Amino acid sequence: DIIPQPLLDQYLSMTDPARAQTVDTEIAKHCAYSLPGVALTLGRQNWHCLKDTYETLASDVQWKVRRTLAFSIHELAVILGDQLTAADLVPIFNGFLKDLDEVRIGVLKHLYDFLKLLHADKRREYLYQLQEFVVTDNSRNWRFRYELAEQLILILELYNPNDVYDYLRHIALTLCSDKVSEVRWISFKLVGDLVHKFYANSANALGLNFINELVVRFRHCSKWVGRQAFAFICQVGMCSLCFYVYIKFG
């Protein structure tokens, strides 16, 4: 009743390997690009019409097809709602997390947008997996780590101070020591937001422990680049850290 059945059938047939040979070698990519729009038109009540096609595209041998889906999975989650997302999209999202960097960057760029749509218990399952984004297929792909730091700044609001301290703190410290200055700079802001998170939620003990760790790791670093990092961390607006440093060192 929403769109003509022959038109829907024509769209679903775009995943047929034979069409790639006779029509367009990138027809599956075009199908993947249009899928969120088709899903929006059909509505979540008709998701069953597209589910098999989506799963077929998500396992396509061409990474460009999977990459296209990875960049739009957060939009599809909004269309489908939390129940269908948990049942049908989360398994595919998990697969993308272990895919090539060209695919992983799609979910990373909208990681916050996807995680905020999940229930708290399901969202918490991803805390340990976040550190896997630090490792890339190509270590020179510094923009991947830069994007991770940017997403973590947003993701902080989704977790409680204890989870932030136990899981995200380690990632932030690692990124602060990155070889690329652009990654370090955005990571300094991340560290500042971590401290603010602790004190804004009255987790003063966690905040003080983290500040002490920063002092040991960077303020007393034997290399000048570490000490410089500490100065920059103070510069990006960490009022609580600056106050602590003033009290301790004068």
Side-chain angles (χ1 to χ4, degrees):
D1 297 333
I2 300 175
I3 61 175
Q5 186 63 42
L7 180 59
L8 179 59
D9 293 340
Q10 184 73 10
Y11 173 76
L12 298 178
S13 70
M14 293 174 71
T15 59
D16 185 351
R19 299 291 297 275
Q21 302 296 326
T22 59
V23 180
D24 186 348
T25 56
E26 294 195 342
I27 191 170
K29 180 183 176 183
H30 301 321
C31 180
Y33 183 83
S34 303
L35 198 141
V38 178
L40 179 62
T41 303
L42 290 175
R44 68 181 62 171
Q45 70 275 12
N46 292 311
W47 167 243
H48 62 276
C49 299
L50 296 175
K51 179 182 176 182
D52 291 343
T53 298
Y54 189 78
E55 292 176 348
T56 299
L57 292 169
S59 59
D60 196 278
V61 294
Q62 299 182 73
W63 64 264
K64 291 183 179 180
V65 175
R66 304 194 304 276
R67 173 186 169 94
T68 302
L69 292 183
F71 270 96
S72 64
I73 193 170
H74 67 291
E75 297 286 1
L76 190 57
V78 174
I79 296 170
L80 297 185
D82 55 357
Q83 292 185 349
L84 288 174
T85 294
D88 299 334
L89 296 189
V90 165
I92 292 175
F93 182 84
N94 292 340
F96 289 157
L97 290 178
K98 302 174 183 177
D99 212 315
L100 302 175
D101 283 352
E102 289 80 0
V103 178
R104 295 170 71 208
I105 189 63
V107 294
L108 177 58
K109 274 186 171 293
H110 302 285
L111 189 59
Y112 166 77
D113 295 322
F114 187 83
L115 291 181
K116 73 178 181 179
L117 299 173
L118 303 180
H119 288 298
D121 56 342
K122 177 61 68 173
R123 186 190 306 140
R124 196 170 186 278
E125 295 177 6
Y126 289 97
L127 276 170
Y128 183 76
Q129 298 183 52
L130 290 175
Q131 63 183 353
E132 297 178 5
F133 281 111
V134 179
V135 181
T136 58
D137 297 336
N138 185 349
S139 59
R140 290 178 295 180
N141 187 8
W142 63 268
R143 289 180 178 84
F144 199 95
R145 301 188 297 279
Y146 183 94
E147 188 65 44
L148 173 59
E150 282 198 320
Q151 286 296 307
L152 289 179
I153 291 173
L154 300 174
I155 287 172
L156 288 178
E157 72 173 57
L158 301 179
Y159 296 102
N160 63 57
N162 288 315
D163 285 339
V164 169
Y165 186 86
D166 292 338
Y167 295 96
L168 304 188
R169 177 180 109 262
H170 299 292
I171 304 175
L173 292 174
T174 299
L175 293 175
C176 280
S177 301
D178 198 90
K179 294 180 179 179
V180 178
S181 62
E182 291 291 333
V183 178
R184 295 197 300 272
W185 266 106
I186 189 65
S187 302
F188 298 155
K189 183 179 186 307
L190 171 60
V191 166
D193 287 356
L194 256 74
V195 174
H196 178 74
K197 171 81 173 182
F198 295 139
Y199 285 98
N201 289 272
S202 300
N204 296 342
L206 295 179
L208 186 58
N209 288 340
F210 185 49
I211 289 174
N212 282 327
E213 189 171 5
L214 291 173
V215 171
V216 171
R217 184 163 184 157
F218 296 107
R219 169 63 177 80
H220 297 305
C221 183
S222 59
K223 298 181 179 179
W224 67 266
V225 69
R227 300 191 297 276
Q228 182 190 61
F230 186 79
F232 285 148
I233 290 173
C234 296
Q235 180 183 336
V236 295
M238 293 179 57
C239 297
S240 53
L241 175 57
C242 292
F243 177 75
Y244 174 81
V245 172
Y246 174 78
I247 293 298
K248 188 165 185 175
F249 300 104

